[in-house]
Amino acid sequence: GAGVSQSPSNKVTEKGKDVELRCDPISGHTALYWYRQSLGQGLEFLIYFQGNSAPDKSGLPSDRFSAERTGGSVSTLTIQRTQQEDSAVYLCASSLAGATDTQYFGPGTRLTVL
Amino acid sequence: AQSVAQPEDQVNVAEGNPLTVKCTYSVSGNPYLFWYVQYPNRGLQFLLKYITGDNLVKGSYGFEAEFNKSQTSFHLKKPSALVSDSALYFCAVSVYNQGGKLIFGQGTELSVKP
């Protein structure tokens, strides 16, 4: 079946611009996660959606970052006023539900801020 | 705070030899442990996980890992390495009642030479 998809695969933007990254999870998965992979920081958790519960935003690095999940499916991660340190690969994952379920990752969006 | 350590940035193995990639963790509560592999310019692929029960878990591509509670370790092993196993390996932990967010180690680059 279809896996997690992300778009765009690559995004180059100028410092100060806003960007939106999209994630389509596996159908039927109620949990959706965003992570960031960068050379300096490794793999970091950003935000977690589980069903209709309030999202866990504890990993968002600043208030320039936000995310929403519409209709319990597609999610959009928005970065406002991008900075060069935001350059990274943004990975989305989905799972059936909670902590014991395997997370399946998308191919990622490589963001470059010039 | 939860943390995962992979003490080796790189592991070099000759094809056909056994391989071990080390992982230790620190959590408050029962850990759920995962191994993922990342090939160049690809997302993370799930290898195996430990949730409960038998300490030795077997996963994809002939990999296995042993959960050792007293040593807080979850080392990844394979009896006979293949050149195609060369990739970046990540250990991760999630904790019951803290959602499913994964805390990752910094990754270990495995290089298998013919």
Side-chain angles (χ1 to χ4, degrees):
Chain A
V4 177
S5 61
Q6 292 185 247
S7 61
S9 55
N10 281 284
K11 177 71 176 178
V12 180
T13 191
E14 294 179 348
K15 178 181 173 182
K17 295 286 179 74
D18 298 352
V19 296
E20 286 189 350
L21 312 180
R22 178 187 168 105
C23 172
D24 281 90
I26 294 171
S27 177
H29 282 189
T30 63
L32 187 147
Y33 306 81
W34 284 97
Y35 296 89
R36 178 169 72 173
Q37 185 174 20
S38 58
L39 281 176
Q41 302 297 324
L43 267 161
E44 307 171 272
F45 163 78
L46 297 177
I47 188 169
Y48 158 53
F49 296 90
Q50 172 58 60
N52 295 322
S53 302
D56 176 352
K57 304 179 183 180
S58 60
L60 294 178
S62 78
D63 58 7
R64 296 185 295 105
F65 287 72
S66 63
E68 63 177 17
R69 188 178 185 191
T70 54
S73 181
V74 171
S75 176
T76 302
L77 177 69
T78 301
I79 309 173
Q80 296 179 310
R81 305 180 302 282
T82 51
Q83 304 294 312
Q84 288 184 333
E85 60 263 28
D86 299 335
S87 296
V89 176
Y90 289 83
L91 294 168
C92 176
S94 71
S95 73
L96 281 172
T100 61
D101 293 307
T102 301
Q103 293 181 32
Y104 295 93
F105 284 79
T109 294
R110 182 176 297 278
L111 175 65
T112 304
V113 182
L114 302 177
Chain B
Q2 317 332 321
S3 65
V4 176
Q6 294 179 240
E8 301 155 317
D9 290 337
Q10 184 156 10
V11 170
N12 298 307
V13 177
E15 188 175 31
N17 283 0
L19 69 87
T20 299
V21 183
K22 295 180 180 177
C23 171
T24 59
Y25 64 91
S26 173
V27 302
S28 53
N30 289 326
Y32 305 129
L33 294 152
F34 300 79
W35 275 101
Y36 285 85
V37 60
Q38 187 175 39
Y39 297 98
N41 299 313
R42 302 281 295 277
L44 297 172
Q45 294 181 28
F46 169 73
L47 280 179
L48 50 78
K49 66 182 178 183
Y50 171 81
I51 303 301
T52 188
D54 193 347
N55 289 341
L56 182 66
V57 292
K58 294 184 183 296
S60 308
Y61 312 120
F63 284 93
E64 59 187 32
E66 185 165 13
F67 171 64
N68 187 317
K69 188 172 183 177
S70 63
Q71 297 185 4
T72 61
S73 68
F74 190 58
H75 302 331
L76 181 70
K77 299 184 178 186
K78 187 174 182 182
S80 179
L82 300 172
V83 172
S84 58
D85 293 330
S86 298
L88 185 58
Y89 290 79
F90 289 96
C91 181
V93 66
S94 68
V95 180
Y96 172 73
N97 83 0
Q98 294 189 25
K101 63 184 178 185
L102 292 173
I103 307 300
F104 285 90
Q106 64 269 40
T108 298
E109 186 77 42
L110 173 66
S111 177
V112 182
K113 292 292 183 357

